[in-house]
Amino acid sequence: MIKLKDIKSLYLSELCDELAVIDLPKFRAKQVFKWLTDGVTSFDEMTNLSLPLREKLSRIYYIANAQIERKLESKRDETVKYLFSFGGTTFVEAVVMKYHHGYTMCISTQEGCKMGCTFCATGRNGFKRNLTASEMLSQIQTAQKDLGIRISNIVLMGMGEPLDNYDNVIRFLRLVSSDDGLNVGIRHISLSTCGLVDKIYDLEKENLGITLSVSLHAPNDDIRNQTMPVNKRWNVDELLKACRYYSEKTKRRISFEYAMIDGVNDGDECAKELGKKLKGMLCHVNLIPVNTVEGTGYKKSKIERQKSFINILSHYGITATVRRTLGSDINASCGQLAGKRNQ
Ligand code: SAH
Ligand code: SF4
């Protein structure tokens, strides 16, 4: 059987080159690209192409499509959480959140994750496979169609470690932000990483202009080694050095994620150590009360701990805020739905 090619992961220039091989002129490639951007899920929908041409394309290519398997809508806010599948075999989650400036979508980059962070539902369920650029695009297209809205901001904070799927993620970022594509402003896109240091240096060289979020979650190696195995490969000092480099080169503020776990990383001494290490860096700290995940035994920090952290960090000139929790009634944090799919 011939393996069909992934047409929606191609840049317009690549699509032009590919279709030139089957004697199609550039304007045809542009028409096809426009349909793909509009989110069609079959070649039959490309009504300005002849039937034989549509049939020919469908013998060579497939169009990735995120099918809605489950949809949960928050009653407290307008957060919507999706469980998508690709071909009924790959399952990932994504969340759409409404803010005053528009709709933000959190998408997945892998089915599962290899990184094994102890507090994370995705990490606990292991790794299945990388998503393609087209599968990342499809999550946005399906949600836009389903909700009749336009997504203006994207965060790569769903299932998976984006920098562990580097090439596909970069391709997705270029596609989703291109003028002839979905045209989402690159400054409205954030990528969150657990700290693959070599890839942070590579990312800086791409000159993309996205916001980098770094899941730090601990001020030192003792604590970080316990919760984030990646720290044994690149420790806190190496990670922060890469972050300083990234923010100095790009002149963009790094956003540090810090999930506060009761009695693990939320003491005043942790806040002081964090303040000392981040001092002088162009950055912001997002404090997140840890979401309880079955089997971890971790509990959310008390509100008083959050306030103390904000206060101590401010002495070091670091701004910190507690992230607003959206969709708390629908388990909006990722990894929890896919993990429970069969229950
Ligand atoms: N792999 C990337 C992006 C996906 S995880 C990363 O780790 O950054 C998205 C964010 O959710 C990360 O900041 C991650 O640390 C955080 N997270 C995972 N499990 C969590 C939990 N139980 N409570 C709070 N935040 C969690
Ligand atoms: Fe993977 Fe991020 Fe979860 Fe860690 S927190 S296991 S890197 S998805």
Side-chain angles (χ1 to χ4, degrees):
M1 209 174 77
I2 304 166
K3 200 166 168 267
L4 297 180
K5 291 200 220 167
D6 174 11
I7 195 167
K8 211 161 64 181
S9 286
L10 299 173
Y11 296 130
L12 177 57
S13 59
E14 293 171 336
L15 188 64
C16 289
D17 292 348
E18 283 249 342
L19 297 188
V21 176
I22 52 169
D23 293 330
L24 288 181
K26 234 181 194 162
F27 85 92
R28 283 279 176 231
K30 282 189 179 157
Q31 284 176 328
V32 172
F33 193 85
K34 171 92 172 52
W35 284 116
L36 295 172
T37 302
D38 288 347
V40 298
T41 55
S42 79
F43 290 100
D44 276 342
E45 290 173 69
M46 301 187 176
T47 48
N48 53 4
L49 308 187
S50 69
L51 196 56
L53 177 55
R54 287 183 241 164
E55 279 169 1
K56 186 170 190 177
L57 290 174
S58 65
R59 283 194 299 272
I60 310 173
Y61 299 103
Y62 73 92
I63 303 174
N65 176 32
Q67 294 148 255
I68 302 172
E69 295 291 334
R70 278 185 72 188
K71 177 179 171 187
L72 299 179
E73 288 164 278
S74 170
K75 291 190 181 64
R76 291 185 200 156
D77 45 62
E78 285 183 56
T79 304
V80 180
K81 177 164 181 166
Y82 291 102
L83 176 66
F84 290 130
S85 90
F86 297 102
T89 51
T90 299
F91 293 85
V92 299
E93 297 174 16
V95 182
V96 177
M97 293 154 284
K98 189 175 182 196
Y99 290 96
H100 57 274
H101 54 259
Y103 289 93
T104 296
M105 186 163 185
C106 172
I107 64 159
S108 292
T109 56
Q110 296 180 315
E111 185 184 21
C113 183
K114 293 176 204 157
M115 301 298 145
C117 303
T118 56
F119 46 81
C120 173
T122 304
R124 295 170 73 83
N125 287 322
F127 174 76
K128 302 254 177 48
R129 76 164 173 86
N130 282 329
L131 298 193
T132 59
S134 58
E135 287 169 337
M136 295 175 220
L137 281 173
S138 303
Q139 295 173 55
I140 297 166
Q141 291 173 316
T142 298
Q144 291 195 147
K145 220 190 274 180
D146 181 52
L147 300 172
I149 55 159
R150 181 176 183 270
I151 302 290
S152 55
N153 294 59
I154 300 169
V155 293
L156 304 189
M157 269 202 191
M159 297 169 78
E161 168 49 50
L163 296 185
D164 184 42
N165 184 13
Y166 190 85
D167 292 345
N168 290 342
V169 164
I170 297 293
R171 183 170 276 277
F172 161 74
L173 292 171
R174 296 199 191 285
L175 278 168
V176 80
S177 61
S178 76
D179 298 346
D180 37 29
L182 285 181
N183 201 8
V184 176
I186 197 79
R187 304 217 166 250
H188 297 160
I189 306 179
S190 315
L191 181 152
S192 178
T193 178
C194 65
L196 303 188
V197 166
D198 55 345
K199 297 292 191 320
I200 293 178
Y201 287 109
D202 290 347
L203 186 65
E204 185 278 312
K205 290 197 203 87
E206 305 280 349
N207 239 331
L208 280 168
I210 53 165
T211 301
L212 184 64
S213 290
V214 174
S215 298
L216 192 57
H217 305 317
N220 59 48
D221 292 333
D222 277 353
I223 302 175
R224 205 164 190 265
N225 282 341
Q226 285 170 39
T227 52
M228 301 183 72
V230 67
N231 200 67
K232 293 183 182 140
R233 175 69 183 84
W234 291 282
N235 65 24
V236 171
D237 284 349
E238 288 168 306
L239 174 57
L240 293 182
K241 192 172 156 205
C243 292
R244 265 183 210 278
Y245 177 85
Y246 188 92
S247 69
E248 279 162 18
K249 279 281 208 180
T250 60
K251 312 264 185 299
R252 310 234 345 128
R253 193 172 78 157
I254 303 232
S255 165
F256 287 105
E257 309 298 307
Y258 197 101
M260 297 188 71
I261 313 175
D262 185 38
V264 174
N265 63 357
D266 65 347
D268 283 353
E269 62 292 353
C270 284
K272 285 181 196 154
E273 204 175 350
L274 186 64
K276 274 185 205 149
K277 291 189 183 172
L278 298 187
K279 201 172 173 198
M281 201 190 305
L282 188 59
C283 70
H284 178 85
V285 175
N286 267 321
L287 300 171
I288 314 151
V290 76
N291 277 299
T292 24
V293 171
E294 253 169 69
T296 60
Y298 295 141
K299 286 203 302 267
K300 279 187 185 26
S301 296
K302 313 233 163 25
I303 303 254
E304 153 269 314
R305 290 284 80 230
Q306 301 170 6
K307 287 188 182 147
S308 184
F309 249 66
I310 293 174
N311 188 24
I312 292 172
L313 288 173
S314 75
H315 287 133
Y316 293 90
I318 307 292
T319 58
T321 42
V322 177
R323 181 180 294 156
R324 211 173 122 212
T325 328
L326 289 175
S328 52
D329 56 332
I330 54 167
N331 262 343
S333 57
C334 274
Q336 309 193 347
L337 202 57
K340 286 190 182 149
R341 188 163 48 85
N342 300 321
Q343 292 175 15

